[in-house]
Amino acid sequence: MALESAGGSIIAMLAELMEPVGRQFRYMFCFNNFAQELKEREENLVSEKDRLQDVVRAAERNAEEIYKDVKKWLEDANNEIEGAKPLENEIGKNGKCFTWCPNCMRQFKLSKALAKKSETFRKLGESSEKFTKVADKRPPQRIEFLTSKEFTPSKSSEEALEQIMEALKDDNVNMIGLYGMGGVGKTTLVKEVGRIATESQLFDEVLMATVSQNPNVIDIQNRMADMLGLKIEENSKEGRADRLRQRLKKVEKMFITLDDVWKHIDLKEIGIPFGDDHRGCKILLTTRRKNIFSSMKCQQKVFLRVLPEKEAWDLFRINAGLDDGDSTLNEVARDVARECHGLPIALVTMGRALRDESAVKWKRVSKQLKNSQFPDMEQIEEKNAYACLKLSYDYLKSKETKLCFLLCCLFPEDYNIPVEDLTRYAVGYGLHQDGEPIEDAREQVHVAIKDLKACCLLLGTETEEHVRMHDLVRDVAIQIASSKEYGFMVLEKWPTSIKSFEGCKTISLMGNKLAELPEGLVCPQLKVLLLELDDGMNVPDKFFEGMREIEVLSLMGGCLSLQSLGVDQVWMQGPHLVEKDAET
């Protein structure tokens, strides 16, 4: 049998020798060379794979979309490297000896396998050289259309949702208006509409942008362009609008939500094709002001009511952590819930503020709400919401959390507030003591933000690096911060009639590109100054002379001279955090 087996091996070997003699000779007598070559090429391939994998990981951390051929190459490289392990085991078994029988045929075949695998490694390594880029920047995920954790369906919201969905399916309706009080849940509802429209594939594109009281056309254009993966290189509003319009006209069916509208919007100025210009475009706008619907020619008007008493109590009870029993505490809690008048934002913030509190505190809050008087708030419709939000602020447990809350109102309405900027302003306002690590202040701010999110006084965004503030909450924060105790001044334009700001500690004109500034100001207590100027505007040389206590200066746009900063004067001392996008 052994002789028979050896004879079969010799015959098989002779058949193999039909290939070119030189190659077969190498397979038989150069086994060690093939083994060494495989080892070297495998090491090169592993190095190349690791290098490319590092680049891919960096791209993934930057939220970029990895190319499919890059993913396939990495997968192939891993498979080939894993597939070489049995051959490597055979190399160890074979050793460095060479004999004619009976293992000569096995060694011959192993040499061929090593040569083939080595060639595969070489080709794979060379093919990786074409990957000059491994990824492309992906459009932001539409997480704003995911149902938020705070969304609690009610009869009112379900009715409004049904009306909106019917209008979206009606070919005769292309402009829909949703209106209701501030804090009633309009934004949350339209996010739910967007989610349903996306998942049911009613439209080819579903977009959303926030408009606010002072619309910024460029911001709206950028938001839509980001969602479309469109790069707008034009600088003029007209050029940008035309670029966006041309892109949107390529979409057969699209749904656009314009949230928080306060006045008539010129869709052409933004670059939104509508009506005869694009029959496949449907627009949903939200507002507190029903009279806007006439100028915007809304064919379907939907009203989002406040919650009826039972639904309001259920929402309040859940957020306050109360059982639906008839305890004495629940009787007081029902009184507090009634003072929220069915407004979801008031019910949620008030409920979370009083969660796990004593019965004595509940009674005190109930009395405070019933006796609340706000003479300075006559122009604001939601006085009851203001009372609840003010009390929610009062019951924050730490001064650091209260400070962070008030500092958020310095940013423009509906602004993505950078947490790092918030940290800088908090340090300038005294959160950080001399000699303490700046990281301590950063940790305090992150803890404060977590607490503020937990009670809905701040909202999350797409990233952990930013937070947002509901516009009604911001109104309340501005009212609190404007008191003598805090000395904040949040302005839309420079008050030229005021020459002295004796008690002012913080001034913000962010989001307003000022065309002029006074020559000088008397601000002896000013610590934080946030400005945004027209490009090319010069800051007066003596502008900062009366600001001897300033700690933080944030200046966007404009031209700033070293002389105006007073760098040759001794008054500019301490941890001055100067953030400048200005020319110097």
Side-chain angles (χ1 to χ4, degrees), residues 489 498-505 522-526:
M489 187 175 287
I498 304 176
K499 300 298 180 184
S500 176
F501 299 83
E502 293 286 346
C504 192
K505 298 176 183 177
V522 179
C523 302
Q525 299 184 58
L526 189 66

Side-chain angles (χ1 to χ4, degrees), residues 283-344:
I283 294 178
L284 169 63
L285 59 86
T286 75
T287 183
R288 300 185 197 180
R289 301 182 175 186
K290 185 180 178 182
N291 57 358
I292 291 172
F293 293 161
S294 297
S295 64
M296 295 300 296
K297 298 180 180 179
C298 291
Q299 295 133 316
Q300 179 71 45
K301 306 173 185 66
V302 181
F303 178 52
L304 184 58
R305 299 178 285 105
V306 296
L307 301 179
E309 185 170 344
K310 184 181 183 307
E311 291 183 354
W313 166 245
D314 288 340
L315 179 61
F316 182 83
R317 179 177 54 79
I318 291 169
N319 283 277
L322 300 173
D323 295 326
D324 193 17
D326 294 323
S327 66
T328 304
L329 178 57
N330 273 5
E331 291 180 11
V332 179
R334 284 182 181 275
D335 288 339
V336 174
R338 289 189 192 98
E339 292 300 320
C340 296
H341 297 278
L343 198 60

Side-chain angles (χ1 to χ4, degrees), residues 30-238:
C30 301
F31 170 78
N32 292 333
N33 291 343
F34 287 119
Q36 182 62 31
E37 184 180 54
L38 178 73
K39 180 181 178 182
E40 291 175 357
R41 287 184 175 174
E42 182 178 11
E43 288 175 351
N44 291 338
L45 183 62
V46 169
S47 296
E48 186 60 27
K49 178 183 74 72
D50 290 345
R51 183 196 67 78
L52 195 62
Q53 188 67 66
D54 288 342
V55 177
V56 166
R57 289 194 188 101
E60 288 174 337
R61 287 195 296 270
N62 200 33
E64 296 179 2
E65 187 71 47
I66 308 302
Y67 294 135
K68 290 182 179 178
D69 56 348
V70 174
K71 291 180 179 179
K72 187 177 186 308
W73 187 94
L74 287 170
E75 183 179 347
D76 290 345
N78 277 322
N79 291 338
E80 291 297 340
I81 292 169
E82 285 296 314
K85 288 181 178 179
L87 289 177
E88 292 167 354
N89 292 334
E90 287 296 315
I91 292 172
K93 292 178 183 178
N94 197 77
K96 295 185 178 180
C97 64
F98 180 83
T99 59
W100 274 99
C101 68
N103 293 329
C104 56
M105 189 59 192
R106 183 176 67 83
Q107 183 168 271
F108 176 82
K109 288 186 175 182
L110 181 56
S111 292
K112 282 195 70 174
L114 294 177
K116 185 177 180 181
K117 180 64 73 173
S118 182
E119 180 65 10
T120 300
F121 284 168
R122 183 189 66 79
K123 289 181 179 179
L124 259 178
E126 289 180 355
S127 67
S128 70
E129 295 175 2
K130 68 182 180 181
F131 299 131
T132 55
K133 283 182 66 179
V134 302
D136 201 1
K137 186 176 181 181
R138 65 167 68 133
Q141 294 181 350
R142 294 167 187 171
I143 57 176
E144 68 265 76
F145 293 135
L146 300 180
T147 306
S148 92
K149 293 179 181 178
E150 291 76 27
F151 179 73
T152 304
S154 64
K155 185 176 180 180
S156 175
S157 63
E158 288 174 350
E159 289 175 354
L161 177 62
E162 185 177 349
Q163 292 179 57
I164 292 171
M165 296 308 301
E166 287 179 0
L168 289 179
K169 296 174 184 177
D170 189 340
D171 293 337
N172 297 316
V173 176
N174 56 9
M175 179 70 78
I176 309 163
L178 173 67
Y179 69 103
M181 292 172 61
V184 78
K186 298 185 295 297
T187 301
T188 303
L189 179 60
V190 296
K191 287 179 181 179
E192 177 70 0
V193 172
R195 183 190 67 80
I196 294 173
T198 300
E199 291 185 354
S200 59
Q201 298 182 340
L202 288 175
F203 301 91
D204 301 313
E205 292 287 354
V206 180
L207 309 176
M208 182 174 182
T210 303
V211 179
S212 304
Q213 293 190 51
N214 299 301
N216 186 315
V217 172
I218 291 178
D219 284 348
I220 297 171
Q221 292 170 337
N222 286 341
R223 179 61 176 159
M224 291 188 175
D226 284 345
M227 298 182 76
L228 291 164
L230 171 68
K231 185 176 182 180
I232 301 180
E233 297 179 346
E234 289 78 7
N235 293 322
S236 68
K237 285 184 180 180
E238 295 78 11

Side-chain angles (χ1 to χ4, degrees), residues 185-469:
K186 298 185 295 297
T187 301
T188 303
L189 179 60
V190 296
K191 287 179 181 179
E192 177 70 0
V193 172
R195 183 190 67 80
I196 294 173
T198 300
E199 291 185 354
S200 59
Q201 298 182 340
L202 288 175
F203 301 91
D204 301 313
E205 292 287 354
V206 180
L207 309 176
M208 182 174 182
T210 303
V211 179
S212 304
Q213 293 190 51
N214 299 301
N216 186 315
V217 172
I218 291 178
D219 284 348
I220 297 171
Q221 292 170 337
N222 286 341
R223 179 61 176 159
M224 291 188 175
D226 284 345
M227 298 182 76
L228 291 164
L230 171 68
K231 185 176 182 180
I232 301 180
E233 297 179 346
E234 289 78 7
N235 293 322
S236 68
K237 285 184 180 180
E238 295 78 11
R240 294 170 59 83
D242 186 61
R243 174 70 63 185
L244 181 60
R245 183 181 300 106
Q246 294 305 319
R247 171 65 177 85
L248 290 175
K249 289 185 76 171
K250 293 180 181 179
V251 182
E252 184 176 350
K253 294 181 66 179
M254 63 182 172
F255 170 44
I256 299 175
T257 296
L258 298 175
D259 191 31
D260 196 22
V261 178
W262 288 74
K263 57 187 177 182
H264 177 80
I265 310 168
D266 187 344
L267 299 177
K268 289 184 178 179
E269 183 184 12
I270 297 172
I272 300 175
F274 186 70
D276 293 336
D277 199 20
H278 195 318
R279 288 294 179 183
C281 177
K282 286 181 180 282
I283 294 178
L284 169 63
L285 59 86
T286 75
T287 183
R288 300 185 197 180
R289 301 182 175 186
K290 185 180 178 182
N291 57 358
I292 291 172
F293 293 161
S294 297
S295 64
M296 295 300 296
K297 298 180 180 179
C298 291
Q299 295 133 316
Q300 179 71 45
K301 306 173 185 66
V302 181
F303 178 52
L304 184 58
R305 299 178 285 105
V306 296
L307 301 179
E309 185 170 344
K310 184 181 183 307
E311 291 183 354
W313 166 245
D314 288 340
L315 179 61
F316 182 83
R317 179 177 54 79
I318 291 169
N319 283 277
L322 300 173
D323 295 326
D324 193 17
D326 294 323
S327 66
T328 304
L329 178 57
N330 273 5
E331 291 180 11
V332 179
R334 284 182 181 275
D335 288 339
V336 174
R338 289 189 192 98
E339 292 300 320
C340 296
H341 297 278
L343 198 60
I345 194 171
L347 291 160
V348 171
T349 56
M350 198 74 262
R352 294 188 182 182
L354 292 171
R355 195 182 184 99
D356 300 325
E357 294 292 352
S358 66
V360 173
K361 184 168 285 189
W362 276 92
K363 291 177 181 178
R364 181 183 174 192
V365 169
S366 177
K367 185 177 181 180
Q368 285 178 297
L369 287 172
K370 289 176 180 178
N371 296 332
S372 294
Q373 297 293 327
F374 302 100
D376 297 332
M377 303 295 289
E378 292 178 0
Q379 77 281 12
I380 294 180
E381 184 182 8
E382 299 86 0
K383 287 186 181 181
N384 54 308
Y386 179 85
C388 295
L389 293 171
K390 173 64 168 62
L391 276 176
S392 297
Y393 164 82
D394 290 339
Y395 282 101
L396 292 174
K397 291 181 171 57
S398 75
K399 63 179 182 180
E400 291 84 9
T401 304
K402 288 184 175 181
L403 174 62
C404 287
F405 172 75
L406 297 180
L407 287 173
C408 286
C409 78
L410 299 175
F411 296 87
E413 184 180 336
D414 293 310
Y415 193 80
N416 280 348
I417 303 169
V419 174
E420 186 60 29
D421 286 2
L422 195 61
T423 301
R424 297 179 190 180
Y425 303 161
V427 168
Y429 209 80
L431 181 67
H432 174 266
Q433 301 299 320
D434 291 344
E436 293 181 353
I438 190 68
E439 191 59 34
D440 289 353
R442 188 172 283 110
E443 289 177 0
Q444 282 184 308
V445 170
H446 279 276
V447 170
I449 287 173
K450 183 179 179 180
D451 292 342
L452 291 168
K453 282 183 178 180
C455 60
C456 276
L457 289 174
L458 280 184
L459 304 173
T461 65
E462 290 90 339
T463 68
E464 291 297 320
E465 287 78 29
H466 297 81
V467 292
R468 296 188 76 178
M469 189 174 243

